[in-house]
Amino acid sequence: MKKFIFITICILFTVAGFAQQNWWDKPTAEIKQLIKKWEATKDAISLNNLGYCYAFGLAVPQNYEKAYSYYKQSAESQYPTAYTNLGDFYMDGYHVQKDAGKAVNYYIQAAMLGEVFGMTKLAECYLQGNGLDKNNSKAIEWLQKAAEKEHAPAQNNLGTIYLRGKAAEQNFDLALQYFEKAAKAELSTAFMNLGRMYRLGLGVNKDFDKAHNYLKQAANANEMFGLYEFANLYYNGEGVEQNFTESFKYYKRSADLGFVKAQMNLGYMYENAQGVEKNVEKAKFWYAKAAAQNDVTSKFRLEALKSSQ
C-alpha cells in the first residue's frame, strides 16, 4: 500500500511565557508557605511572585485581577520581570483589553533592564510587526542580546531564523550552533529542531542515529512536534526497523496535544490498518479533528469515507 503519511517541514520558534522560575513541581504546602512570606515582605520580587501564583493558580485560586495588581505594584519598583508579565497580560488580554502597543511598551522596559524574556518577546513583536513596525534587524539584535545571556529560547529562535533564511540570510552553520546551545539547556524545541536537521539533511549530512537521539529527547519531554517527528522515524523505517505500532503510539501522543498532521496520520492508519485494527469510525474521528484545523487532505478523506458508506 502506498504511504500516505504527510511529512511537514516546520522548524519551531519558542515563545516565552510568563517570565518566572518554574514552580510547578514544588509541593503546594511549600508554595503556600512562600506566599505567606511574600505577602508579609511585599518587596518587588515578592509582589511579582505573588502575581505569578495568582496568574497560574499555584496554591491559590486563579485570579487575573489580583495577578495584574501584584505585577503592577512590582513594576512600579522597576522589577524587570514584572514588566514582561504585564506585557503578556496586554498581549493576550488577561484581565485587561488586548493592546499590542501597551504590551510592546512593557517589553521594551523589561528589555532595556536586561530581562531576557522581555528581550525575546520584543524580538517576536519586531518579527511579526505586532504592536510596532516589522523590523527583522531589530528582532535579531534583541535575540542576540538575550542569547548572549544564555537564554535558550532566544538561541533557539535565532537558529530558526538562520535555518529558514527569511528574516536573515540562510546560514545552516549558525542555525546548528544556536540549536546546539539551546539544547545544552535541555530545551525540548531545540532537540526537535536538531533532530529535524539531521533527519532531513538540512545543512548537515543525514544522520538517522543523531536524529533518533535528539527526537527521542524531544519526545520524552512530550514536545508535540518532536513526538510527531519521532513517529516519522518508525513509520518510514529511518535508522530503525519500520514499526507501525511504535509510530502509531507517538502519533497518538502528538495528536492528543493537538498537532494537526499527527491527527491526519492517525486517521490514515485507522483507515488502512497500519499498527492498529482497521476502524473506519475512528479514522473519521481523527480526520474530523484535523479537518477542523483546516487540513485539506483530512477534509477530502473524511468526505470520501462518508460517501462510501
Side-chain angles (χ1 to χ4, degrees):
M1 180 177 294
K2 183 180 178 181
K3 294 180 182 178
F4 187 80
I5 297 296
F6 182 90
I7 306 302
T8 186
I9 297 179
C10 54
I11 305 302
L12 299 182
F13 280 89
T14 46
V15 178
F18 288 94
Q20 188 57 57
Q21 73 181 80
N22 190 345
W23 294 322
W24 294 103
D25 295 330
K26 286 184 179 293
T28 300
E30 183 179 345
I31 297 175
K32 286 183 176 179
Q33 288 300 313
L34 288 170
I35 288 173
K36 287 182 180 179
K37 177 184 175 182
W38 295 329
E39 287 176 336
T41 306
K42 287 194 174 179
D43 57 18
I45 296 175
S46 297
L47 289 165
N48 180 75
N49 292 349
L50 287 167
Y52 182 85
C53 289
Y54 278 103
F56 286 97
L58 293 178
V60 292
Q62 189 175 54
N63 188 318
Y64 289 136
E65 182 178 1
K66 283 189 175 182
Y68 177 85
S69 176
Y70 280 125
Y71 285 149
K72 190 75 172 174
Q73 292 175 67
S74 180
E76 287 169 359
S77 297
Q78 294 190 316
Y79 185 57
T81 306
Y83 285 129
T84 300
N85 290 335
L86 284 171
D88 288 342
F89 265 50
Y90 278 102
M91 187 59 74
D92 297 319
Y94 296 117
H95 175 62
V96 294
Q97 186 175 350
K98 282 188 179 184
D99 189 325
K102 285 186 178 180
V104 165
N105 286 336
Y106 279 119
Y107 292 149
I108 289 173
Q109 292 179 77
M112 294 299 291
L113 291 171
E115 208 281 313
V116 291
F117 284 99
M119 292 177 180
T120 304
K121 283 286 191 175
L122 180 57
E124 180 190 344
C125 291
Y126 273 121
L127 284 170
Q128 298 178 355
N130 192 9
L132 38 60
D133 292 336
K134 185 174 181 179
N135 190 318
N136 292 333
S137 296
K138 286 284 188 182
I140 292 170
E141 178 184 335
W142 281 112
L143 286 175
Q144 287 174 335
K145 288 180 179 180
E148 287 169 2
K149 291 176 174 286
E150 304 300 325
H151 187 52
Q155 292 167 339
N156 182 77
N157 288 1
L158 281 168
T160 303
I161 285 172
Y162 286 115
L163 187 61
R164 285 178 170 172
K166 293 183 179 179
E169 185 177 352
Q170 191 172 56
N171 188 318
F172 290 128
D173 290 337
L174 280 177
L176 186 66
Q177 290 174 28
Y178 278 118
F179 288 147
E180 287 177 340
K181 287 179 180 180
K184 287 181 180 178
E186 298 189 354
L187 187 70
S188 61
T189 316
F191 289 140
M192 148 64 187
N193 284 329
L194 285 168
R196 289 187 64 84
M197 287 189 76
Y198 282 107
R199 177 177 170 259
L200 300 175
L202 301 175
V204 296
N205 293 327
K206 282 188 179 183
D207 189 325
F208 291 131
D209 288 337
K210 286 185 178 180
H212 188 278
N213 177 56
Y214 283 124
L215 292 174
K216 184 176 182 180
Q217 292 180 79
N220 286 344
N222 216 37
E223 208 279 331
M224 180 173 67
F225 298 95
L227 288 163
Y228 174 78
E229 280 296 322
F230 196 56
N232 284 338
L233 291 177
Y234 283 98
Y235 188 90
N236 296 317
E238 296 172 332
V240 293
E241 185 176 347
Q242 189 177 53
N243 188 324
F244 288 150
T245 301
E246 195 72 3
S247 66
F248 179 90
K249 179 173 70 175
Y250 288 101
Y251 283 138
K252 177 66 163 57
R253 286 174 58 186
S254 179
D256 285 339
L257 292 171
F259 187 42
V260 60
K261 296 306 177 186
Q263 293 171 345
M264 185 198 76
N265 289 359
L266 286 183
Y268 183 80
M269 294 181 85
Y270 273 119
E271 182 184 359
N272 295 285
Q274 292 183 333
V276 289
E277 291 185 9
K278 183 170 182 174
N279 189 316
V280 174
E281 291 305 311
K282 287 186 177 180
K284 287 161 60 178
F285 172 83
W286 285 109
Y287 282 143
K289 284 272 192 182
Q293 296 192 62
N294 295 316
D295 183 77
V296 175
T297 302
S298 294
K299 289 180 179 179
F300 174 79
R301 291 307 312 151
L302 182 61
E303 289 304 313
L305 288 177
K306 287 180 178 179
S307 63
S308 67
Q309 291 181 316

